[in-house]
Amino acid sequence: MQIVKYPHPTLRHKSKPRSRVDSELRQIIRQMFEVMYEGKGIGLAANQVDLPYRMFVINLQADPEAVDEEHVFINPVIVKRSGSAEGEEGCLSFPNIYTPVRRPEKVVLTAYNPAGQEVTYELEGLHARAVQHETDHLDGVLAIDRLSPTARLAVKESLAGLEREFESDRRGGLIPDDNQILDRLAKLEKLRA
Ligand code: ZN
């Protein structure tokens, strides 16, 4: 399992809900936490590890020892948004890029946990920001889509750098072409439907 970086096409994939929580999914969740900790991230969505599943993990401490801070959100739905706040966001698929993003300050979200139970969360602050950032990923939406024109201009060069890296990796055979990637995602989705 590896983190895919912008502009990898899986980051633009809108994932469908999973119909069940099984041992395979629980194993993927464990691996996602490990990959997230290696990258020193606080959240990771399945798209970011090239999987078309509607789920993400977070640990705001970015610390594998802080087990109580580990949260898994399967088929999350944001049911209520309120307020507005700006905060800096980073993303493991955009290494070394941090940028101010304006989002609702509080959210109510429902999701399934790894035990298959539906849970309702009332979140604010960094917690609310993280789950919105990750839920966006599941819809193929990226933080760069939510930037002010000024913030967008500020990251333009960095994004162009990532695009060049991606093209170079692809030429080097490290990344399959778009059709192969989309075929693979469609097959995985069918398998799990
Ligand atoms: Zn992200």
Side-chain angles (χ1 to χ4, degrees):
M1 186 179 278
Q2 247 185 336
I3 292 176
V4 297
K5 290 180 210 155
Y6 172 84
H8 194 286
T10 304
L11 294 174
R12 289 300 185 187
H13 181 81
K14 186 172 161 64
S15 0
K16 296 181 187 75
R18 295 251 326 185
S19 56
R20 61 174 180 271
V21 181
D22 53 20
S23 63
E24 188 218 7
L25 188 66
R26 281 189 281 267
Q27 206 179 328
I28 291 171
I29 290 165
R30 245 4 286 168
Q31 286 178 310
M32 282 176 64
F33 273 118
E34 279 163 34
V35 168
M36 183 185 84
Y37 292 134
E38 271 169 39
K40 308 236 183 299
I42 62 169
L44 186 68
N47 309 47
Q48 294 181 274
V49 290
D50 208 8
L51 292 172
Y53 305 149
R54 205 161 177 83
M55 94 192 171
F56 62 83
V57 300
I58 65 171
N59 181 336
L60 296 187
Q61 304 287 328
D63 177 4
E65 305 288 314
V67 183
D68 290 352
E69 296 296 320
E70 287 189 348
H71 295 286
V72 179
F73 299 81
I74 301 162
N75 301 345
V77 180
I78 296 174
V79 292
K80 204 177 158 192
R81 300 170 167 85
S82 59
S84 174
E86 192 176 75
E88 195 159 74
E89 294 186 19
C91 180
L92 290 173
S93 296
F94 292 79
N96 303 317
I97 298 180
Y98 299 89
T99 186
V101 183
R102 180 162 286 282
R103 298 187 185 272
E105 195 175 11
K106 297 178 182 179
V107 293
V108 179
L109 169 136
T110 63
Y112 287 85
N113 66 17
Q117 299 152 326
E118 193 178 27
V119 183
T120 300
Y121 302 85
E122 282 184 42
L123 304 170
E124 55 181 77
L126 185 58
H127 238 116
R129 180 168 296 281
V131 299
Q132 291 179 82
H133 177 112
E134 301 307 333
T135 303
D136 267 357
H137 270 302
L138 305 180
D139 289 325
V141 175
L142 301 169
I144 51 165
D145 303 335
R146 299 198 179 277
L147 300 184
S148 69
T150 322
R152 174 171 282 277
L153 201 62
V155 296
K156 207 173 160 217
E157 278 306 305
S158 312
L159 294 182
L162 286 177
E163 285 162 16
R164 283 193 298 272
E165 236 172 80
F166 180 82
E167 285 313 320
S168 149
D169 282 353
R170 186 166 252 174
R171 278 195 303 276
L174 296 173
I175 299 167
D177 69 38
D178 282 8
N179 286 334
Q180 281 174 290
I181 292 172
L182 298 180
D183 274 2
R184 192 183 141 269
L185 295 178
K187 272 185 197 136
L188 281 173
E189 269 180 344
K190 227 179 233 164
L191 223 60
R192 293 281 117 215

